[in-house]
Each structure stands twice: as structure tokens, then as C-alpha cells.
Amino acid sequence: MIITIQKCLVPACEGASHKWEFETPTLREFQRMEKIAGIGVDQFAGGLDDALDTGITSAAIDAVLAMVDMLHRREGVKVPFEDIDIDPSDFKLDVADGDLEDNDEPGEAAEDGEGKDPDPTPPSHPHEAAAPDAPASGPATGEASKPKSSPTQTDSGGGSASP
């Protein structure tokens, strides 16, 4: 999701514009959101859905203010929650297909499809991310394993150092 604010009303920003790429809050951010804004995880998600679909609702206001607080804090701008404010006409949420750096405008995908992940689902296990022809373990393809044994002869029934 791309969040754009044309003129930020947070005093520390002095009217600056912002453009953030946002996926999800961290666990600590969820805790802070519940503490300062009084909204839980489900309320946050529902509020963002409202903001995307229907516009201004009480849930959307709470979720957007909590998210704007979060994004400012990620940039090191730590102000009291009461100082977080935006003009709804200067604020835009956009579910974008491309990366923030790849696009000139939110939601505008690269023309030739570059920058898009054809399979956005990450592998469920780190070993699945390896090249398809690479073995999961053992020597590289084409290398034969060599027997590994000690050059010392063992006595019958040995295995312990006691006589």
C-alpha cells in the first residue's frame, strides 16, 4: 500500500509532503496503537478497509491516524499522538502493484512489467528458495563423495579406549 500526504499537519514536519510504502505494523507498533489509539488489530485492518473503500468513518479515522503516527515514528519523528493530524483531502491510500521506487505515481505499474514479482508468495521454507536444480544437501552436482575412514586399523570389538 502506498500512502501519500501532500501537506502534513504534524508540527514537526512543517507542511512537508510524504510518500510511504506500508505493509503491516510490527508487533510493538500494534501494542502502541492499542495503547494510544485504543484500537486492536482487527479494528485497524477494518479501518484501513473503510478508508480504502468508503472513505471517512470513525474506524477509518482511528486507523489512519495510528498508521500516520507509526510511519512518522519509523522516520524518527516522535510527537505526541494528539499532534498527529492530516487533511483528508491531502491524503491518499493506494494499493499499488509495483514498488515505490519503480513508479512515478502510486498504483502505476512499470510499463514493461519489470519490478513485478511473478510469484508474490514467498517460499514456505528457506531451502525452497534455492535454485531448482541445486541439491537440497550434499556435494554439488557432479562431485562424487569419497569414503571417509581412519587410516588406523581397529581391533576386533573395539570402540572404547579401556583395555
Side-chain angles (χ1 to χ4, degrees), residues 66-148:
M67 180 178 57
V68 170
D69 175 65
M70 224 182 304
L71 294 169
H72 277 86
R73 286 181 169 276
R74 287 180 180 183
E75 289 185 345
V77 179
K78 296 180 180 180
V79 298
F81 184 69
E82 295 77 29
D83 287 352
I84 300 295
D85 199 8
I86 58 170
D87 180 345
S89 64
D90 284 342
F91 176 75
K92 184 177 179 185
L93 286 176
D94 189 24
V95 180
D97 292 332
D99 291 333
L100 184 60
E101 291 94 27
D102 291 344
N103 300 322
D104 293 318
E105 295 295 323
E108 182 180 303
E111 291 179 20
D112 58 1
E114 285 184 27
K116 288 180 129 184
D117 186 1
D119 183 13
T121 307
S124 59
H125 192 276
H127 294 292
E128 292 178 17
D133 295 335
S137 63
T141 307
E143 287 183 22
S145 62
K146 297 177 184 174
K148 295 181 180 167

